[in-house]
Amino acid sequence: MTTPYVLVLYYSRNGSVSEMARQIARGIEQAGLEARLRTVPAISAECEAVAPSIPDEGALYASLDDLKHCSGLALGSPTRFGNMAAPLKYFLDGTSNLWLTGALVGKPAGVFTSTASLHGGQETTLMSMLLPLLHHGMLITGLPYSEQALLDTQGGGTPYGASHHSGPDGKRMLDQHEITLCRALGLRLAKTAILLENGRGQEA
Ligand SMILES: Cc1cc2nc3c(=O)[nH]c(=O)nc-3n(C[C@H](O)[C@H](O)[C@H](O)COP(=O)(O)O)c2cc1C
């Protein structure tokens, strides 16, 4: 029996989504739960290319067991042509066994993304990430408008999930509203995970 944790599963090439993941982890930890940060390898046009099993830096690669045993999930990707990035989609396409066994049914999940342009597809990317999670039977926690930063932001932040605007050079740091909303998403996910775990404990 492992300690309960929320899995923060993401892909990031230039660091913006990684930074969002770290902020979401802080929100999760604020609720007293472990945040397990995991990434996925890039995919290559070379069919035979194999990534080293441990990345050179940053979070470890996610295993299916990380996903199977989580109490909740935060899923993050850069926006790529208004959609999630292929490496994350590739990982999700390998989760059929979890779907067949209903391993993720009833667990809370939220999503996050980063874009280079302000209206470059944050919402569509977030929605694209929600689709497989709904197929898995997960319970979606977006961000409520009781979060004042959602009304005040001049950058990222949506009711569908946390978002960030990295700018044309991809170097714009998370601003205070974006940080607040990342942490709020993590906190909300973790609190929901705790409530659901406690409910399951009472049923047993
Ligand atoms: C192939 C590709 C497609 C992209 N498509 C979009 C897009 O549709 N809209 C947008 O605003 N930014 C787009 N971007 C920019 C990234 O979403 C943005 O730089 C993001 O902040 C990268 O996150 P990362 O630093 O975590 O890798 C694209 C980048 C690449 C490489």
Side-chain angles (χ1 to χ4, degrees):
M1 178 79 181
T2 54
T3 317
Y5 61 89
V6 174
L7 180 65
V8 185
L9 172 62
Y10 67 94
Y11 176 71
S12 177
R13 192 160 79 179
N14 293 315
S16 290
V17 176
S18 310
E19 182 52 27
M20 295 183 81
R22 280 190 285 274
Q23 296 298 338
I24 287 168
R26 290 184 64 170
I28 293 165
E29 287 160 358
Q30 202 184 323
L33 267 194
E34 181 194 330
R36 185 175 293 186
L37 284 137
R38 290 290 183 270
T39 189
V40 295
I43 55 175
S44 165
E46 292 174 58
C47 296
E48 300 295 325
V50 177
S53 54
I54 299 178
D56 292 338
E57 57 180 20
L60 294 174
Y61 292 135
S63 68
L64 290 177
D65 271 353
D66 287 327
L67 192 52
K68 181 177 177 181
H69 298 298
C70 72
S71 302
L73 171 69
L75 187 71
S77 170
T79 288
R80 295 249 166 118
F81 303 115
N83 211 317
M84 84 175 99
L88 195 65
K89 177 70 164 56
Y90 185 78
F91 180 86
L92 292 172
D93 283 358
T95 61
S96 303
N97 276 340
L98 300 186
W99 174 76
L100 281 167
T101 54
L104 302 178
V105 171
K107 295 184 181 186
V111 289
F112 57 104
T113 191
S114 171
T115 57
S117 53
L118 194 48
H119 303 288
Q122 293 180 356
E123 284 95 339
T124 54
T125 303
L126 295 171
M127 297 304 280
S128 79
M129 286 191 283
L130 290 180
L131 297 178
L133 304 186
L134 286 163
H135 278 252
H136 272 292
M138 301 194 87
L139 304 173
I140 305 305
T141 59
L143 281 165
Y145 273 96
S146 49
E147 294 294 338
Q148 185 62 35
L150 211 49
L151 293 157
D152 293 342
T153 183
Q154 305 267 314
T158 85
Y160 313 104
S163 62
H164 163 247
H165 167 224
S166 68
D169 62 0
K171 292 190 176 147
R172 183 180 167 273
M173 307 295 282
L174 271 72
D175 68 26
Q176 200 49 55
H177 291 129
E178 292 165 339
I179 288 173
T180 299
L181 291 169
C182 283
R183 291 189 191 171
L185 182 67
L187 183 64
R188 191 162 197 240
L189 258 175
K191 281 183 172 173
T192 308
I194 291 166
L195 282 172
L196 290 168
E197 289 282 349
N198 289 345
R200 272 190 279 272
Q202 278 167 14
E203 274 171 24

